[in-house]
């Protein structure tokens, strides 16, 4: 099957700034693909190159097998939901949605009919005569979505489409977008800086930083096996225990303690053992652990979250965060208590820079 | 039996509109005081002279070139249908319209270019647009007379490229050229301001939605920059219609326009009532164009 989008060795420079640095990326047909990274890492630029709003400095970009590197946006079978929507302020919702069809030469009555259907699809029935300024943020977001979807693009590009919505509405729209994508079977390329959004919504995701693509994979692969320190830290919460590789099974932490950590890095490489707060367990010091998967510390603070407690445990040079589910009978460790933080040796990953 | 009487909703609500009304009244009184000088200025220098012009336009010219304010009639207005006067009126309207259109066509791409530059380049170019204003209007018009006149640079060029000795001076073309040159900045500035305000991502969005460059201009850029088009057109059309200096210097006696014709009535023919009637008609035309244009523009916005 041909890939929906195939990016090979693409670089984009703006003067001296390298916005996108030699990335390779393949997005399958019908896939919900998230492009995740901190602000300024090159997500929008990547998306704009797929849309044709920016041309790559180098590299090849194919959409369903056709090279589109320097094709203008109106010649590409993709549509964009812009960040902050970019709705036409002088047109009402209906004319906004019908715009693409009219430009493609679809006759007026068909364009109107299809635009109204799409307005129904995004649940804006009856709002068609309103100007963008007469719609709420969430409604504008839906018009933007309808305006792109009505053209039946082969790939839909979304640039932080939920970024401007409040939390409640955002969560609602996340579910709706996901449903819509599954029903339509169209590839979505979804740009976000919110790791939780990327994890919950996408089939596969890419993590970018500083113009570079760091890791591509399913949310589970990326959460469980982060490719490097940045990914481990950026996706979810984690404790990074600094140390050096001792052998393929062991990491020597900065304080000399040896812990289990599988890697194929050469001996002496500076690494960190990534321990997720929810994978760590607190117990009294006298409990017998495999010393290869535990460290001793002192409780510094406890935060009550309702469904869990988060402990901050002082361990030599650092503070380790431990999350204990609030089960009946769970032991409460007061600040100042000497404790042992332990984990299942298979639950940690070893990450380098 | 409740000891404490809670204020009901109705009672609480009664106080507010009163306070609000008082606040609004005070606000508007303050606004009026601040606007007083402008009102006084308008009445003294606009309304009063306007009334005088209207009154004079109904008066009669006496035999010695004075004005009789006693015998009121419509004779001056009747003269508007004379062929000479009608020609001058239509010629003036046509040249003003042509000037406006040419300015629009030249200024739009330039304003767009300006609005899409970096701030430094933008400000530098805006200064260039303003530079002509630093030289006196009359001097600039005489400069054109030298450029277009006999043995001037213009004829040198036409001769050099083999068109023979062409002289533009004292023609309608020269007048339009002079008017376009004089009023172009008045078109560029409002257009620039209007285009600069437009979110350029809207143009990208239209391209993403299959619009060609031209469609993008017609369906998005032009409608959104309409306030600038309207403001610029009025700022060029109105002074072009009443222009006096440029047609006089560059048009010569062959192309009399309304402005110079009115001046002649007051200064040479000493027919003040007719001059007043012409002035009033000119003003009426300007006013209706402005109102119609704004109305029309207001709807498309
Ligand atoms: N048109 C441009 N001109 C110059 N630099 C740009 C331009 N667009 C983006 N950049 C730079 O490229 C980098 C990546 O930007 P962007 O793709 O917008 O990041 P993101 O969407 O991930 O926040 C940033 O450093 C930004 O300043
Ligand atoms: Mg961005």
């Amino acid at each position: 099957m041909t890939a929906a989008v195939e990016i090979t060795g693409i670089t984009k420079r703006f003067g001296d700034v390298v916005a996108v640095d030699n990335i390779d990326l393949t997005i399958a047909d019908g896939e919900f693909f998230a492009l995740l990274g901190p602000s300024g890492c090159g997500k929008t630029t990547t998306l704009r190159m797929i849309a044709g709003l920016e041309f790559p400095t180098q590299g090849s970009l194919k959409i369903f097998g056709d090279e589109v590197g320097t094709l203008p946006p109106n010649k590409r079978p993709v549509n964009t939901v812009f960040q902050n929507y970019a709705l036409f302020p002088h047109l009402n919702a209906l004319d906004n949605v019908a715009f693409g069809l009219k430009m493609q030469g679809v006759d007026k009555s068909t364009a109107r009919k299809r635009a109204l259907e799409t307005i129904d699809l995004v649940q804006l029935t009856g709002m068609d005569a309103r100007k963008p300024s007469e719609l709420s943020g969430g409604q504008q977001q839906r018009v933007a979505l309808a305006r792109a979807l009505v053209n039946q693009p082969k790939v839909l590009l979304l640039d932080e489409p939920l970024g401007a919505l409040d939390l409640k509405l955002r969560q609602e729209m996340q579910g709706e977008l996901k449903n819509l994508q599954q029903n339509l079977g169209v590839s979505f390329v979804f740009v976000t800086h919110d790791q939780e959004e990327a994890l919950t919504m996408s089939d596969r995701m890419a993590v970018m930083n500083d113009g570079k693509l760091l890791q591509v994979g399913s949310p589970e692969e990326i959460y469980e096996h982060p490719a490097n320190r940045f990914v481990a830290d950026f996706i979810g919460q984690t404790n990074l225990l600094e140390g050096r590789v001792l052998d393929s099974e062991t990491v020597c932490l900065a304080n000399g303690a040896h812990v289990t950590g599988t890697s194929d890095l050469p001996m002496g490489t500076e690494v960190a053992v990534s321990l997720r707060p929810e994978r760590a367990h607190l117990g009294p010091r006298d409990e017998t652990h495999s010393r290869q998967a535990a460290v001793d510390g002192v409780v510094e603070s406890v935060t009550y979250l309702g469904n869990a407690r988060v402990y901050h445990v002082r361990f030599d040079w650092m503070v380790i965060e431990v999350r204990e589910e609030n089960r009946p009978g769970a032991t409460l460790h007061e600040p100042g208590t000497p404790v042992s933080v332990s984990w299942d040796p298979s639950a940690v990953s070893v990450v380098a820079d | 039996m409740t000891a404490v009487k809670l204020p009901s909703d109705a009672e609480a609500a009664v106080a507010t509109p009163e306070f609000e009304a008082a606040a609004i009244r005070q606000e508007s009184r303050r606004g009026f005081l601040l606007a007083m000088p402008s009102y006084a200025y308008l009445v003294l220098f606009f309304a009063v002279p306007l009334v005088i012009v209207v009154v004079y336009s109904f008066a009669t010219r006496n035999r010695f070139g004075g004005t009789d304010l006693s015998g009121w009639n419509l004779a001056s207005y009747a003269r508007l249908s004379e062929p000479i006067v009608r020609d001058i009126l239509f010629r003036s309207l046509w040249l003003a319209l042509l000037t406006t259109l040419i300015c629009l066509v030249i200024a739009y791409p330039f304003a767009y270019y300006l609005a899409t530059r970096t701030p430094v380049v933008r400000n530098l170019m805006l200064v260039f647009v303003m530079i002509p204003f630093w030289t006196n209007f009359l001097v600039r018009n005489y400069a054109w007379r030298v450029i277009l006149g006999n043995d001037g640079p213009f004829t040198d060029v036409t001769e050099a490229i083999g068109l023979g000795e062409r002289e533009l001076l004292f023609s309608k073309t020269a007048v339009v050229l002079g008017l376009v040159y004089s009023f172009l900045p008045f078109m560029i500035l409002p257009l620039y301001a209007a285009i600069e305000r437009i979110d350029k991502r809207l143009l990208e969005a239209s391209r993403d939605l299959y619009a060609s460059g031209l469609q993008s201009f017609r369906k998005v850029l032009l409608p959104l920059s309409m306030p600038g088009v309207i403001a610029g057109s009025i700022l060029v059309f109105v002074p072009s219609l009443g222009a006096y200096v440029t047609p006089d210097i560059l048009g010569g006696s062959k192309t009399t326009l309304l402005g110079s014709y009115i001046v002649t009535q007051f200064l040479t023919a000493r027919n003040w009532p007719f001059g007043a009637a012409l002035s009033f008609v000119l003003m009426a035309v300007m006013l209706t164009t402005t109102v119609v244009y704004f109305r029309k523009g207001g709807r498309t916005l």
Side-chain angles (χ1 to χ4, degrees):
Chain A
M1 195 170 68
T2 39
V5 180
E6 195 182 337
I7 291 174
T8 323
I10 283 229
T11 296
K12 177 68 189 180
R13 282 192 206 93
F14 295 105
D16 291 340
V17 181
V18 184
V20 173
D21 193 357
N22 191 20
I23 65 170
D24 297 300
L25 188 60
T26 305
I27 296 161
D29 191 10
E31 178 171 55
F32 198 119
F33 193 93
L35 209 52
L36 176 68
S39 166
C41 73
K43 307 177 299 286
T44 297
T45 306
T46 306
L47 202 72
R48 285 168 60 84
M49 284 194 283
I50 302 175
L53 296 168
E54 215 79 74
F55 295 140
T57 315
Q58 253 169 51
S60 142
L61 201 161
K62 288 181 181 161
I63 296 175
F64 285 94
D66 298 327
E67 179 65 45
V68 295
T70 56
L71 220 55
N74 53 331
K75 302 267 164 63
R76 300 186 184 207
V78 302
N79 289 109
T80 308
V81 175
F82 286 82
Q83 196 167 8
N84 300 322
Y85 323 134
L87 297 177
F88 303 123
H90 59 303
L91 302 179
N92 62 24
L94 179 67
D95 290 333
N96 261 287
V97 176
F99 191 94
L101 295 176
K102 285 181 187 162
M103 290 304 119
Q104 290 175 90
V106 174
D107 73 86
K108 263 197 182 144
S109 63
T110 316
R112 193 187 143 80
K113 199 174 127 265
R114 276 175 57 190
L116 282 172
E117 280 167 14
T118 315
I119 286 176
D120 288 347
L121 180 73
V122 298
Q123 301 173 28
L124 277 183
T125 314
M127 302 283 184
D128 49 285
R130 295 216 194 158
K131 289 271 177 74
S133 57
E134 297 161 347
L135 295 168
S136 72
Q139 290 167 336
Q140 289 180 25
Q141 208 278 325
R142 287 161 192 269
V143 175
L145 194 61
R147 185 176 73 168
L149 281 177
V150 75
N151 304 294
Q152 300 174 335
K154 289 186 172 170
V155 181
L156 184 72
L157 309 172
L158 305 102
D159 193 358
E160 311 214 9
L162 310 179
L165 306 181
D166 57 53
L167 186 64
K168 188 102 197 326
L169 198 54
R170 192 155 76 218
Q171 288 168 344
E172 222 176 277
M173 283 305 295
Q174 285 175 359
E176 257 182 61
L177 268 181
K178 181 77 187 165
N179 278 339
L180 202 61
Q181 189 269 336
Q182 280 167 345
N183 293 340
L184 297 171
V186 175
S187 310
F188 275 31
V189 183
F190 185 97
V191 163
T192 177
H193 66 260
D194 181 342
Q195 45 97 15
E196 210 176 308
E197 198 166 84
L199 285 174
T200 52
M201 295 179 79
S202 66
D203 299 324
R204 282 197 318 143
M205 58 194 270
V207 184
M208 285 183 78
N209 188 33
D210 215 5
K212 294 187 184 66
L213 203 61
L214 301 181
Q215 190 174 7
V216 183
S218 70
E220 198 174 326
E221 276 163 16
I222 287 180
Y223 190 81
E224 303 289 339
H225 309 289
N228 60 28
R229 189 190 299 263
F230 179 86
V231 177
D233 201 25
F234 192 71
I235 310 292
Q237 297 281 97
T238 199
N239 299 292
L240 294 172
L241 311 174
E242 305 292 336
R244 283 173 191 279
V245 173
L246 203 61
D247 57 46
S248 65
E249 294 292 323
T250 320
V251 173
C252 175
L253 296 185
N255 70 339
H258 290 189
V259 297
T260 304
T262 315
S263 72
D264 48 13
L265 295 163
M267 186 183 142
T269 315
E270 277 192 36
V271 292
V273 174
S274 163
L275 171 65
R276 303 276 183 201
E278 76 276 11
R279 306 256 163 102
H281 177 66
L282 275 194
R285 283 263 177 97
D286 56 354
E287 236 176 60
T288 48
H289 298 295
S290 140
R291 297 314 298 171
Q292 296 276 14
V295 293
D296 288 340
V298 176
V299 174
E300 238 182 32
S301 66
V302 191
T303 312
Y304 179 72
L305 295 182
N307 59 353
R309 280 195 179 86
V310 170
Y311 292 93
H312 285 105
V313 179
R314 163 72 49 186
F315 158 64
D316 263 339
W317 74 97
M318 67 177 294
V319 173
I320 299 177
E321 200 177 299
V322 178
R323 185 187 165 101
E324 293 278 12
E325 291 306 312
N326 197 2
R327 291 195 198 84
T331 331
L332 171 64
H333 305 274
E334 299 286 352
T337 321
V339 287
S340 178
V341 178
S342 61
W343 59 87
D344 182 329
S346 66
V348 293
S349 40
V350 176
V351 289
D353 282 329
Chain B
M1 19 154 239
T2 44
V4 186
K5 188 174 169 291
L6 290 168
S8 70
D9 275 349
E11 271 172 309
V14 171
T16 346
E18 264 175 23
F19 280 127
E20 237 174 57
I24 290 169
R25 235 177 295 132
Q26 201 178 347
E27 190 61 39
S28 81
R29 198 176 310 137
R30 193 179 310 142
F32 180 76
L33 282 176
L34 283 173
M36 266 303 282
S38 340
Y39 282 136
Y41 179 92
L42 274 179
V43 169
L44 205 63
F45 295 110
F46 184 75
V48 172
L50 182 64
V51 170
I52 297 177
V53 169
V54 173
V55 167
Y56 264 73
S57 71
F58 292 109
T60 321
R61 173 185 189 269
N62 65 25
R63 235 177 306 152
F64 314 105
T67 307
D68 263 335
L69 284 174
S70 51
W72 286 41
N73 59 67
L74 285 172
S76 297
Y77 288 96
R79 281 192 61 191
L80 291 175
S81 60
E82 284 174 18
I84 303 175
V85 182
R86 228 179 33 212
D87 280 357
I88 290 173
L89 264 173
F90 282 124
R91 189 187 301 140
S92 301
L93 274 174
W94 162 238
L95 290 190
L97 202 66
L98 196 64
T99 303
T100 310
L101 282 176
I102 293 173
C103 280
L104 196 56
V105 170
I106 297 175
Y108 204 104
F110 183 73
Y112 180 78
Y113 177 79
L114 210 58
T116 49
R117 291 311 98 181
T118 58
V120 179
V121 177
R122 223 182 258 190
N123 290 336
L124 198 69
M125 294 185 79
L126 279 174
V127 170
F128 282 130
V129 171
M130 311 281 210
I131 279 181
F133 289 123
W134 300 351
T135 312
N136 181 283
F137 188 67
L138 267 173
V139 173
R140 281 184 282 144
N141 275 283
Y142 275 109
W144 273 109
R145 194 157 169 166
V146 174
I147 292 171
L148 300 177
N150 228 341
D151 294 329
F154 181 77
T155 45
D156 290 350
V157 170
T158 54
E159 254 175 289
I161 59 174
L163 290 172
E165 194 175 318
R166 292 285 179 94
E167 206 192 283
L168 262 188
L169 196 58
F170 304 136
S171 67
K172 274 188 255 183
T173 317
V175 173
V176 172
L177 190 72
L179 290 175
V180 168
Y181 164 78
S182 304
F183 298 131
L184 192 59
F186 296 112
M187 187 64 95
I188 291 175
L189 295 178
L191 274 178
Y192 160 74
I195 295 174
E196 203 255 346
R197 265 189 355 180
I198 299 172
D199 182 356
K200 300 301 172 297
R201 288 180 324 140
L202 295 174
L203 299 175
E204 294 187 338
S206 72
R207 295 305 307 271
D208 185 64
L209 293 164
Y210 309 104
S212 65
L214 187 67
Q215 284 171 318
S216 209
F217 166 72
R218 280 193 29 229
K219 300 290 178 184
V220 180
L221 189 61
L222 190 58
L224 288 175
S225 59
M226 222 42 191
V229 173
I230 290 170
S233 300
I234 290 171
L235 286 179
V236 172
F237 180 78
V238 168
S240 297
L241 189 58
Y244 157 62
V245 173
T246 306
D248 221 50
I249 296 177
L250 301 177
S253 53
K254 278 180 291 180
T255 26
T256 308
L257 293 184
L258 202 50
S260 8
Y261 194 55
I262 292 172
V263 173
T264 316
Q265 295 314 312
F266 280 107
L267 299 185
T268 318
R270 293 204 64 80
N271 190 342
W272 285 36
F274 186 47
L278 285 171
S279 303
F280 187 69
V281 168
L282 177 63
M283 209 156 52
V285 172
M286 287 173 178
L287 209 65
T288 20
T289 345
T290 313
V291 170
V292 168
Y293 220 65
F294 265 115
R295 278 274 168 76
K296 198 163 160 285
R299 246 204 326 269
T300 57
L301 294 183

